[in-house]
Amino acid sequence: SAPTHELLEGVELVWQIPSSPPRAILFIAHPGCGSPGDFFPPHRDCARCKGLPEHSAITQRAIAARYAVVAIKSAKDYWQTWPLEASQDAFNVERIVDSWKNRHGMANLPLVALGCASGGSFVSALALRIEFAALVIMISHGVTRAFQRATNRYPPTLFVHMPKDSLTAAKIEREIRALQSKGIPTEEIACLDFPVTSEIFRGLLSSHGASKLFAALVIHGVINGEGFVTSAMQTSEIRELLQRADIFGEADEDEREMVVESVNCLIRVAEARHAVTARKCSEIFDWLEQYI
């Protein structure tokens, strides 16, 4: 089916169900200041679906593996995580997921969660309230107090992170040891930086536009001679660079902002410091297969 945007009991969500009978449900908790529509490709029936490249690639991989995917908007910019008992988000997600599963006849399917950044912290705590078959915590070390409360019934947990963020990496190592000491299956996947070529932009721009953008990034010192990102850019700097390089063409304001946000996303993934990434989707979904 196509992605569907709706308000359910005053809460925004976007969901998609595979054409073949689903085997499991994936709940996605977006990063802070993000939205559910970031994870779903643009579609005429889903005005909020903008499909950031790495985000939507995760959902497309899930749909291909016959997961029904549901993403819910946090009450504020960042998920209200702790104390869990006072979290409006925990209350919202618990009732919305339950209602959504029942409405679509999926009450008996295994439910897994993937949370990114603030969303990763949120699902690490929410697992004390909702019975997840497994958790994927991306670019987050989770909530220590939630892990301290965890019993051996806590779900198997996979941390997907970027070791260049050394502070988060160190905290993840500590949390992995703590969870494993309780008999909870826990693993990690490390995402490293990689050299950029114009190919990375070709799902977003024409072949000519992608080549022009790559050349502009090299000229402005964002990418070195080997293709690695050496200089992080602010969103405003990316917008200005795209404007000067005449990348936007006839795009309207909304389309331009989408290009800016997508380019920012792709550069951050290549830099591998703190970004939602689909680069390890094969490993992530292979790991989930053990638990659904």
Side-chain angles (χ1 to χ4, degrees):
S1 68
T4 299
H5 171 268
E6 67 175 312
L7 286 176
L8 188 58
E9 301 179 44
V11 180
E12 180 185 354
L13 64 154
V14 181
W15 52 268
Q16 188 171 2
I17 299 172
S19 53
S20 301
R23 304 158 54 237
I25 301 165
L26 173 64
F27 163 64
I28 294 179
H30 60 76
C33 297
S35 73
D38 295 346
F39 287 87
F40 297 85
H43 192 276
R44 64 182 182 277
D45 296 330
C46 182
R48 297 294 185 95
C49 294
K50 62 181 181 179
L52 291 176
E54 293 289 308
H55 300 57
S56 59
I58 295 171
T59 301
Q60 290 167 2
R61 177 64 176 78
I63 294 293
R66 291 173 48 206
Y67 287 75
V69 182
V70 56
I72 297 173
K73 181 73 177 76
S74 57
K76 298 182 179 178
D77 284 344
Y78 291 84
W79 294 89
Q80 300 165 342
T81 297
W82 203 265
L84 195 59
E85 297 76 12
S87 168
Q88 181 65 44
D89 287 320
F91 174 74
N92 287 348
V93 170
E94 192 170 19
R95 66 193 173 93
I96 294 300
V97 167
D98 192 53
S99 173
W100 186 88
K101 286 195 306 180
N102 289 330
R103 173 159 46 112
H104 293 283
M106 300 183 195
N108 295 323
L109 290 184
L111 173 66
V112 302
L114 183 149
C116 306
S118 167
S121 297
F122 175 65
V123 299
S124 75
L126 188 65
L128 297 173
R129 288 256 296 260
I130 291 181
E131 186 177 342
F132 292 115
L135 290 183
V136 179
I137 300 175
M138 184 176 286
I139 53 171
S140 167
H141 53 81
V143 177
T144 297
R145 285 169 291 185
F147 298 141
Q148 289 170 343
R149 284 195 192 179
T151 68
N152 59 7
R153 293 176 59 83
Y154 193 82
T157 300
L158 176 67
F159 290 92
V160 181
H161 68 105
M162 298 176 167
K164 280 176 99 175
D165 180 354
S166 55
L167 183 60
T168 298
K171 291 179 179 178
I172 286 171
E173 292 305 318
R174 181 191 67 201
E175 305 299 9
I176 287 174
R177 289 194 298 270
L179 289 170
Q180 288 178 339
S181 72
K182 297 184 177 189
I184 300 163
T186 313
E187 295 186 36
E188 67 177 305
I189 293 175
C191 303
L192 305 178
D193 58 348
F194 57 88
V196 176
T197 68
S198 63
E199 291 293 328
I200 195 175
F201 304 115
R202 287 193 179 168
L204 178 66
L205 302 169
S206 67
S207 177
H208 178 63
S211 297
K212 281 176 64 178
L213 174 57
F214 179 76
L217 291 170
V218 172
I219 290 168
H220 286 84
V222 179
I223 297 171
N224 66 16
E226 297 176 331
F228 287 96
V229 177
T230 56
S231 175
M233 300 181 75
Q234 300 296 322
T235 303
S236 59
E237 295 173 317
I238 292 174
R239 187 181 296 106
E240 184 179 347
L241 182 148
L242 292 171
Q243 184 73 48
R244 287 205 306 265
D246 192 27
I247 301 298
F248 290 129
E250 300 299 318
D252 64 26
E253 189 61 32
D254 288 343
E255 291 168 334
R256 291 180 179 217
E257 286 308 303
M258 178 59 191
V259 172
V260 170
E261 197 168 352
S262 297
V263 169
N264 185 35
C265 166
L266 292 168
I267 290 174
R268 288 175 60 201
V269 168
E271 187 187 16
R273 195 173 298 277
H274 183 81
V276 175
T277 178
R279 301 287 149 159
K280 299 291 185 177
C281 266
S282 292
E283 293 95 321
I284 291 169
F285 282 93
D286 284 348
W287 181 83
L288 285 171
E289 281 297 311
Q290 305 170 74
Y291 304 109
I292 66 165

